[in-house]
DNA sequence: ATTTCTGTTGTTGG
DNA sequence: GCCAACAACAGAAA
């Protein structure tokens, strides 16, 4: 489920619950769920891969991590291992295998919303400053850095780097400023393409390098390698992606 | 055909 | 600051 664009889709499907009151709360999440009962869901905010359910007197943070999932109005059986279930009169939402925490509402004010590539508050200039200040960082790590490109995950990373023709292990400091700009622009552009493809259930079809073995541009074999500090797998073409 | 193994759209805590 | 741990399930290997 979990890169930023997928979280936007989750938010969209949860939107009908905004304005409704919790009547029942269940699940093995380790916080006091009872306090939610009777509270109205005021708003849903997303920041990168995180989702904040804003209630009248509480804020719940949800992170799907790698394998998290959710469902809505589940007719079916006893929970497989429900982390959090919220019933609003007759309808409900259910979260599984994810991180769920109750956070201090004040915490929302400490978030750098301009770092979220999916947000209309996204600030490319700010991203540029952050990139400039860490010149010995590899581009693959930079894209995965949630303080710079909140919402970007491994798939987006690989596809963006192919789009702009940059080898994942390139150092930020060696990147020409034009390329640095493309990196920023495409991180956001690709994320929105991802969103629309995912919405249309055609995301995988559009992958050019991620999990692929042949370069769609020159036909040569793609390199698959764990790169950067994050040691996350990268797929790239040695001919079409330049190492700076 | 069926079972087992491998790897991962991510973060945290030690 | 780095690595191990954790999670569930699809696709690959056996």
């Amino acid at each position: 489920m979990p890169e930023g664009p997928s979280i936007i889709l989750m938010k969209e499907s949860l939107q009908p619950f905004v304005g409704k009151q919790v009547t029942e709360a269940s699940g093995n999440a380790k916080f006091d769920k009872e306090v939610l009962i009777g509270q109205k869901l005021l708003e849903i905010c997303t920041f990168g891969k995180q989702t904040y359910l804003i209630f009248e007197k509480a804020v719940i943070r949800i992170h799907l991590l790698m394998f998290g999932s959710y469902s809505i109005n589940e007719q079916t059986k006893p929970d497989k291992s429900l982390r959090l279930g919220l019933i609003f009169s007759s309808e409900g939402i259910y979260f599984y295998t994810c991180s769920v925490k109750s956070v201090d509402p004040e915490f929302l004010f400490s978030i750098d919303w301009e770092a979220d590539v999916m947000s209309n508050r996204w600030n490319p200039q700010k991203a540029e400053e952050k990139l400039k200040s860490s010149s010995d960082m590899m581009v693959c790590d930079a894209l995965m850095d949630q303080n710079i490109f909140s919402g970007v995950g491994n798939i987006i990373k690989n596809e963006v780097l192919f789009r702009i023709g940059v080898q994942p292990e390139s150092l930020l400091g060696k990147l020409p400023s034009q390329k640095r700009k493309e990196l920023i622009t495409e991180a956001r552009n690709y994320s929105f393409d991802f969103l629309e493809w995912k919405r249309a259930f055609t995301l995988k079809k559009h992958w050019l390098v991620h999990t692929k073995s042949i370069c769609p541009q020159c036909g040569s074999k793609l390199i698959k390698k764990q790169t950067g500090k994050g040691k996350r797998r990268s797929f790239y073409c040695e001919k079409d992606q330049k190492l700076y």
Side-chain angles (χ1 to χ4, degrees):
Chain A
M1 266 292 127
E3 299 192 28
S6 304
I7 302 307
I8 298 293
L9 293 174
M10 175 167 88
K11 177 185 169 175
E12 289 178 8
S13 26
L14 298 181
Q15 212 58 43
F17 292 90
V18 171
K20 295 187 179 166
Q21 214 174 32
V22 176
T23 52
E24 230 177 289
S26 55
N28 59 20
K30 291 194 289 278
F31 67 93
D32 181 17
K33 293 171 285 290
E34 297 302 306
V35 305
L36 297 178
I37 294 173
Q39 289 200 48
K40 193 192 279 181
L41 176 59
L42 300 179
E43 195 185 352
I44 302 171
C45 296
T46 62
F47 173 67
K49 300 164 188 170
Q50 307 162 30
T51 304
Y52 293 92
L53 304 178
I54 321 279
F55 293 93
E56 290 160 300
K57 293 179 213 155
V59 175
I60 305 299
R61 189 193 93 132
I62 294 170
H63 197 306
L64 263 26
L65 301 169
M66 283 264 224
F67 312 120
S69 63
Y70 66 97
S71 68
I72 293 170
N73 297 337
E74 193 161 273
Q75 323 293 355
T76 48
K77 30 192 128 148
D79 28 13
K80 6 183 189 182
S81 66
L82 182 64
R83 185 67 32 88
L84 178 65
L86 296 172
I87 316 277
F88 301 73
S89 305
S90 58
E91 315 208 292
I93 56 190
Y94 307 85
F95 299 97
Y96 302 93
T97 42
C98 52
S99 155
V100 179
K101 285 179 186 169
S102 175
V103 301
D104 186 333
E106 288 295 312
F107 177 74
L108 295 174
F109 294 103
S110 71
I111 293 177
D112 177 13
W113 300 95
E114 295 180 336
D116 182 355
V117 295
M118 300 306 295
S119 168
N120 51 17
R121 290 147 86 174
W122 166 246
N123 184 339
Q125 286 80 30
K126 210 161 163 182
E128 189 168 13
E129 291 314 311
K130 290 174 186 171
L131 293 178
K132 279 183 189 169
S133 69
S134 29
S135 55
D136 54 352
M137 189 187 251
M138 287 182 180
V139 288
C140 58
D141 287 324
L143 273 169
M144 296 290 280
D145 187 327
Q146 299 300 297
N147 294 312
I148 308 177
F149 296 105
S150 187
V152 169
N154 207 34
I155 298 172
I156 296 176
K157 176 198 79 181
N158 283 324
E159 295 294 325
V160 166
L161 291 175
F162 179 71
R163 267 194 182 182
I164 65 174
V166 172
Q167 206 269 15
E169 291 167 313
S170 300
L171 295 179
L172 286 180
K174 293 188 180 171
L175 212 57
S177 74
Q178 181 55 35
K179 279 294 165 194
R180 190 172 54 222
K181 285 193 165 64
E182 286 178 35
L183 178 70
I184 295 165
T185 310
E186 289 308 319
R188 180 166 163 94
N189 280 348
Y190 187 85
S191 295
F192 279 91
D193 288 343
F194 183 125
L195 173 65
E196 293 315 320
W197 290 329
K198 178 101 184 171
R199 196 196 297 284
F201 305 105
T202 60
L203 178 64
K204 281 192 189 182
K205 204 174 75 182
H206 287 91
W207 288 348
L208 297 179
V209 291
H210 190 257
T211 72
K212 302 289 178 185
S213 51
I214 303 293
C215 173
Q217 219 162 88
C218 71
S220 62
K221 199 166 186 309
L222 292 175
I223 309 293
K224 175 183 173 181
K225 182 183 176 189
Q226 311 281 111
T227 62
K229 284 197 203 166
K231 295 206 172 72
R232 300 298 302 278
R233 59 179 187 161
S234 289
F235 298 84
Y236 60 93
C237 175
E238 274 183 319
K239 290 186 184 141
D240 293 316
Q241 293 175 254
K242 186 175 170 187
L243 176 63
Y244 292 93

